[in-house]
Structure formats: C-alpha cells, structure tokens
Amino acid sequence: MKKICLANQKGGCGKTTTAISLSSCLANQGKKVLLIDLDPQGHSGLGFGVKPEQVEDSIYEVLMGRIPMNAAVRMLKENLYTVSSNVVLSAFEQLMAGLPEREYKLTQALAHLDDNFDYVIIDCPPSLGLLTFNALMAADEIIIPVDSSSFSLNGLDKLLETVKLIEEKAGHWLPYKILATNIDRRTKFSKRVVEKLQTQFGESCFETTINTCTRIREAASDGKPIDAYDRHCTAFRDYQNLTRKIMEEEIKIHEKVFAGVFDLKDGEGQTQPTESEVVFTFRAPGHTPVQIAGSFNSWTPEPLSYTEFQGNPVWKMAIQLKPGTYQYKYLVDGRWIHDPQNKDTIDDFLGGVNSVVNV
Ligand SMILES: Nc1ncnc2c1ncn2[C@@H]1O[C@H](COP(=O)(O)OP(=O)(O)OP(=O)(O)O)[C@@H](O)[C@H]1O
Ligand SMILES: [Mg+2]
C-alpha cells in the first residue's frame, strides 16, 4: 500500500484536481485506490458528485477515533473508494490542541485499514496546519503541485522545511516530487516556471506537466473526474502520463530494493543468498539513527548500518533467521515505527501495529 499525499499550503494550485484525476486513472489501470479528503472544503468528494452536506461518516469521525476508517470508506466506482470530508473537519485542529499524538491520528487510523489497497491518495487543505501534518506523517511520499500563477519559492521553501523537520525530528523519511500544474504552454512565463522548477529540483520534479485545460473546470463543476468527462482533452492525456510515471516508479523502487540485497551479497564475496538470511532495510537520512527490534532478538534494539544505494539513503541489516514467523519494528530516532515497505502487519495491542516477516 503506497500512501501519497497532495500538499501545498498555496490555495488553488491543483491539489484536489490531481488527487481526483490520479485516483481515478490509477483505478482505471486496475489498481485499488482509496482517496482520502483531508480538506474541510470537501472538494475531492464534490469532484465525484458527493455533496459535503450529505456526508455522514466522514474523515472527521475517523480522526476523532469515533469510527474505524473501514466504516467511513465508500465506493465511487470499480477499484476506487473514498473517505469524504465536510466543514465539521475544520474543528479538528482546535479540539486536538495540546493532546498527545495529535499529528499521528491519520497514521493510526490507516494502520487499522483493511490492507488491500494499492494506493492511498490524500488531498490536503491549503495550509500547513495539523491536518496537513497528519497527512505528511502518514504518507510514504508527497506530491507538491505548483501552478505558474501561484509560483512562489518562498511558499515552497516553507513546505520543504516542514518535510525536512519531519525527517529529522520524527525520523519519517518523506520523498517529495514537484508537479507543475495548470501550465499554459503558450506563455513564456509558464515555460520559464517549468524550466526553473526542473532545473532547481532535477529528479525531484516530474518531467510530466499538467497543462491548462478548460475541460478540467467543466468536469469539476459537473461532479466528474476528467476520465469520465472527456478522454480527448489535454488534461486527461497529462494525468494519464502522470499515472504511468507513478506506476513505473513503483516498479523501480521494488527493483532497487531487490538489487540492493544482491549488491550486499556480492560486496561480501559470498555465493548464493541462503533462505534464512533476511535483509531489513529502512530508508532514512544518514544522521537519523535506525535500530531494529523483534521477536528474533527478544525485542532488544540493534543498530542497522548506513549505506547509500543508487543515491538513496538506506539503513540495512542482514539477519539469519530459522524458518518461522517473526514480528519486528524499527526504532527511528527514539520513535517506534513499523516497516513502511512491508504491508504485513499485526496488532501490537498498544494502539499500533508490528510488521510481520515469514521465513
Ligand atoms: N490543469 C488545469 N487547467 C485548468 N484549470 C485547472 C487545472 N487544474 C486545476 N484547475 C482549476 O483550478 C482551480 C483550483 O484547482 P484545485 O481545486 O485542484 O486546487 P487546490 O490546490 O486543491 O485548491 P485548494 O487549495 O483550495 O484546495 C479549480 O477551479 C480547478 O478546476
Ligand atoms: Mg483542494
């Protein structure tokens, strides 16, 4: 299950449009998708014709711990599900003020979700408040839509600072990717914006851009995602390209992790990996200490060693294990975290989950 959040405190830069279009296109590709609306404006739902005032079991009830996430999930179409939002959610920040773990409410709710979604797409509100913070803590990666009219490196700096803070203080490694949206290719200004973003952010900026397309606005006011409204317009083509990129990226990451295991073996000059050796990896920057503890070492935290694989920071440890089922967790900068790359988890009876590995 890959969790992607759409965030930018700038209003109107294409977060919701991207959340809707990407979710719908991923579902068309046979991926099972959950779209979570974390914006009290309820625009993600509106984009599918769901009126915020008609939403009963919303993300607000879930975050407040009144109902489990599963109870709020509703189907939009084949492979596509949503948890909607409405204006009541705007009370969340105030009600949570000063309470412990308030920034982990979404993470905790997702840990108890029936784990058969391929993607969770989270649409954030236009602020860097507690709701967006919850999304950042829960997400595996963040897409930052930047439109040419609202282009402001100051705003972007603030968001990237927050991402860095989350990595350093909470040990939650959060890769980001900039997406240029609402780009009018006919204007020199728009072109310059795209060039500047791609030069400045390199691989952290999608080559795919989303062009300005009037059909997007029409589709939104008709309560339909772009693929259901017009499959011949530029926006549909652009969002299809983005969907393809994101699905390719997923394959690359799997290949990297797999290749990483064999690199390690080659480096040690060993022959074939034995069935009982398991390589645990955790992606986090080098200055964030990572330890592992599990049923295989009496839950005594042991440090992983830091390495870089194809330019990505990785903490690694190979452990010899006899056949069986083991539970484990990482201790990242003093905080217990289950393995974000392993979808097999089990209740830890402390309000969270442990990761599970079968040997
Ligand atoms: N590629 C596009 N071409 C034309 N219009 C677009 C495009 N992308 C978004 N829009 C329009 O721009 C407006 C803002 O887009 P959207 O709601 O996706 O932004 P947002 O970042 O979610 O806004 P908010 O910060 O208020 O949540 C909407 O009216 C939407 O229809
Ligand atoms: Mg929005």
Side-chain angles (χ1 to χ4, degrees):
M1 185 164 84
K2 182 160 198 173
K3 289 157 270 166
I4 303 175
C5 80
L6 279 302
N8 190 339
Q9 72 273 31
K10 284 253 159 212
C13 59
K15 296 180 287 294
T16 302
T17 304
T18 303
I20 292 171
S21 313
L22 181 60
S23 300
S24 196
C25 289
L26 281 168
N28 295 345
Q29 296 298 319
K31 299 289 177 187
K32 193 167 174 186
V33 182
L34 177 63
L35 169 62
I36 298 180
D37 192 349
L38 217 56
D39 185 352
Q41 297 179 100
H43 286 171
S44 280
L46 271 176
F48 286 96
V50 179
K51 296 200 168 64
E53 60 275 15
Q54 288 170 356
V55 174
E56 282 179 9
D57 294 330
S58 72
I59 190 68
Y60 173 75
E61 277 77 27
V62 177
L63 295 178
M64 294 302 288
R66 293 179 189 163
I67 54 169
M69 183 76 91
N70 292 322
V73 172
R74 68 151 86 182
M75 191 177 185
L76 290 170
K77 66 174 187 179
E78 192 183 1
N79 289 325
L80 182 56
Y81 298 78
T82 194
V83 176
S84 301
S85 159
N86 57 28
V87 71
V88 182
L89 184 61
S90 45
F92 175 73
E93 191 148 353
Q94 212 178 351
L95 290 171
M96 282 286 146
L99 294 183
E101 304 208 323
R102 59 189 181 280
E103 64 274 33
Y104 290 99
K105 295 298 162 194
L106 184 60
T107 309
Q108 289 162 354
L110 281 169
H112 296 281
L113 181 69
D114 281 345
D115 193 21
N116 55 357
F117 287 100
D118 296 304
Y119 289 92
V120 174
I121 308 291
I122 308 163
D123 182 23
C124 291
S127 74
L128 268 182
L130 186 59
L131 286 166
T132 298
F133 221 82
N134 262 267
L136 297 178
M137 293 306 293
D140 300 315
E141 64 183 53
I142 162 174
I143 295 179
I144 307 174
V146 174
D147 78 307
S148 57
S149 60
S150 71
F151 179 62
S152 150
L153 282 180
N154 282 341
L156 213 49
D157 281 355
K158 186 105 181 55
L159 179 55
L160 296 179
E161 260 171 41
T162 308
V163 169
K164 204 163 157 227
L165 200 80
I166 283 174
E167 287 181 357
E168 287 173 1
K169 300 276 183 226
H172 178 52
W173 191 55
L174 189 60
Y176 67 86
K177 238 165 160 180
I178 309 281
L179 175 69
T181 55
N182 211 345
I183 297 298
D184 186 349
R185 290 270 172 192
R186 292 164 306 178
T187 68
K188 278 191 185 150
F189 180 70
S190 267
K191 271 192 204 159
R192 274 214 310 276
V193 167
V194 174
E195 278 165 20
K196 190 164 180 183
L197 286 173
Q198 287 176 342
T199 311
Q200 179 156 351
F201 291 99
E203 274 200 356
S204 296
C205 180
F206 282 106
E207 276 176 39
T208 305
T209 59
I210 310 296
N211 291 289
T212 302
C213 173
T214 50
R215 306 296 270 168
I216 279 280
R217 282 176 198 272
E218 293 170 16
S221 60
D222 210 35
K224 287 185 182 147
I226 194 64
D227 59 287
Y229 190 74
D230 183 355
R231 289 195 172 209
H232 300 286
C233 69
T234 34
F236 174 67
R237 190 198 57 205
D238 293 342
Y239 277 116
Q240 280 282 88
N241 284 339
L242 178 70
T243 304
R244 212 169 296 128
K245 278 276 162 220
I246 285 171
M247 288 172 61
E248 279 170 17
E249 202 93 327
E250 184 80 352
I251 293 165
K252 270 192 218 152
I253 287 170
H254 280 133
E255 279 172 356
K256 267 185 200 172
V257 171
F258 185 70
V261 173
F262 281 86
D263 277 356
L264 187 84
K265 302 298 292 183
D266 290 347
E268 287 170 349
Q270 293 182 6
T271 49
Q272 292 297 309
T274 62
E275 278 182 16
S276 56
E277 182 174 81
V278 178
V279 179
F280 293 89
T281 60
F282 188 90
R283 297 183 291 162
H287 52 81
T288 306
V290 180
Q291 293 173 288
I292 189 167
S295 49
F296 42 74
N297 67 358
S298 312
W299 292 96
T300 311
E302 291 179 72
L304 276 72
S305 43
Y306 178 73
T307 180
E308 280 195 4
F309 182 69
Q310 294 183 349
N312 292 311
V314 180
W315 289 83
K316 238 173 205 175
M317 183 190 261
I319 302 179
Q320 300 287 338
L321 293 176
K322 291 191 181 127
T325 300
Y326 301 88
Q327 296 184 31
Y328 67 99
K329 246 181 180 154
Y330 292 111
L331 184 59
V332 182
D333 212 9
R335 183 175 281 278
W336 290 102
I337 294 175
H338 69 271
D339 188 345
Q341 295 183 82
N342 180 358
K343 63 182 172 52
D344 289 335
T345 56
I346 193 165
D347 204 324
D348 66 1
F349 299 106
L350 295 168
V353 292
N354 290 334
S355 299
V356 176
V357 62
N358 286 303
V359 180

